[in-house]
Amino acid sequence: QKPSAPLAAEEARHYDKLGTGAVRCRLEPRECQIGDGERGFCGVRENRAGKYYSLTYGRPCAIRVAPIEETFMHVLPGAKVLNVGTAGCNLQCQFCNTYHISQARPEDTINEALTPEQLVERAKSEGCSALCFTDNEPVVCFEYMVDTAKVARKAGLKTTCHTAGHLNPEPATELAGVLEAVCVDLKAATNAVHEKLTMVKLDPVLNTIKHFAELGLHMEVASPLLPKYNDPPEFATAAAQYILSAGGAEVPWMLRRYFPSYNMLTGIAT
């Protein structure tokens, strides 16, 4: 096993300096206020003397070749894709099956050192037609994803991501300008259930789905079927109606099997 690469120190985007040495993250709706030497909720972005830094830029801890149908059903059918993930997440999904990296800090994962250019070369050497930022929540490695997508486009590769959709409109607009497609999770039909399952409210996710649709980005929506939480007919009706009204009849909706994991090994959210 290779030793882990040292943490990165890439200045983050979408944040405000508060004048007290603290910063406010504007990447996602939680908008953490972070004091000097502290990190945001995600655990992978740190305030150092009034500047906010991404610690996972160019530090993926999960890289694997997969069929694109693992995430998308209507993008490059039959293609191979390089799936890329880093440590950290801005949610705490009780059923997460990649919690060993999503709920970890970057110093606790085995990270490679790969610039956007090197990551694109890795994808090409593996015979991949696209990259997909997934496995953890790619919003928390926003800068790495954006820069990689720009390099990939010049190299003739597509870049996609699989996200929980908990992000603000401004960075969502920036993403839509560089990604070829996005898959957004819709995990519940009410704020109460969504917050119990993920520790964040549903409304920002619904807004993101609508925003991506308005921007014209190819979007697919995926729902993990969680018994007792989002498998009743009421969820199917509410979710389908929202996807139809926000994105139109052409937005694919994928229903995915639930695998007990993390804090829901028994099917009950703790």
Side-chain angles (χ1 to χ4, degrees):
Q1 190 177 48
K2 295 181 180 179
S4 183
L7 301 186
E10 176 78 11
E11 186 171 4
R13 299 161 204 171
H14 299 286
Y15 79 95
D16 296 321
K17 297 180 179 181
L18 298 181
T20 60
V23 300
R24 177 188 293 111
C25 178
R26 293 189 291 104
L27 189 57
E28 51 101 73
R30 187 179 282 106
E31 296 197 345
C32 298
Q33 291 192 32
I34 304 106
D36 186 17
E38 297 178 349
R39 297 187 189 180
F41 179 90
C42 63
V44 300
R45 303 166 81 80
E46 184 173 275
N47 179 358
R48 297 180 178 176
K51 281 191 175 182
Y52 204 32
Y53 290 94
S54 168
L55 306 181
T56 57
Y57 187 100
R59 299 295 185 270
C61 62
I63 303 178
R64 58 192 174 85
V65 176
I68 200 165
E69 287 82 4
E70 185 176 296
T71 306
F72 293 92
M73 298 304 294
H74 299 271
V75 178
L76 296 174
K80 291 196 300 182
V81 61
L82 190 70
N83 283 350
V84 182
T86 69
C89 188
N90 60 338
L91 286 77
Q92 287 185 336
C93 295
Q94 299 299 290
F95 51 90
C96 182
N97 59 13
T98 57
Y99 64 91
H100 55 291
I101 64 170
S102 71
Q103 301 304 312
R105 290 198 164 206
E107 55 267 43
D108 297 325
T109 54
I110 304 299
N111 312 308
E112 292 192 53
L114 290 170
T115 65
E117 292 79 9
Q118 290 170 330
L119 189 58
V120 170
E121 284 302 314
R122 172 79 70 89
K124 291 172 62 178
S125 70
E126 295 282 2
C128 295
S129 302
L131 299 96
C132 183
F133 282 81
T134 181
D135 288 344
N136 72 318
E137 172 48 63
V139 166
V140 304
C141 62
F142 177 86
E143 298 81 8
Y144 188 37
M145 177 167 50
V146 167
D147 291 353
T148 299
K150 291 177 180 177
V151 173
R153 185 169 285 183
K154 291 179 181 178
L157 301 184
K158 298 182 183 300
T159 305
T160 66
C161 86
H162 183 190
T163 175
H166 197 251
L167 75 161
N168 282 337
E170 185 178 349
T173 299
E174 186 175 346
L175 275 182
V178 297
L179 296 182
E180 308 298 332
V182 62
C183 180
V184 182
D185 282 340
L186 182 55
K187 300 174 181 178
T190 67
N191 271 306
V193 174
H194 196 271
E195 195 164 11
K196 184 172 184 63
L197 292 172
T198 69
M199 307 303 148
V200 299
K201 293 187 181 299
L202 173 64
D203 288 342
V205 178
L206 298 179
N207 292 339
T208 295
I209 291 173
K210 184 177 181 180
H211 191 59
F212 279 142
E214 291 173 344
L215 292 170
L217 179 64
H218 176 84
M219 176 175 58
E220 302 186 14
V221 177
S223 296
L225 289 179
L226 306 169
K228 302 179 183 178
Y229 293 100
N230 68 2
D231 63 344
E234 293 79 8
F235 168 74
T237 300
Q241 287 177 341
Y242 186 80
I243 296 168
L244 178 63
S245 65
E250 298 302 313
V251 175
W253 182 30
M254 297 171 283
L255 303 178
R256 292 181 169 154
R257 180 183 173 186
Y258 161 67
F259 292 92
S261 185
Y262 194 36
N263 291 329
M264 286 184 65
L265 292 172
T266 62
I268 304 297
T270 57

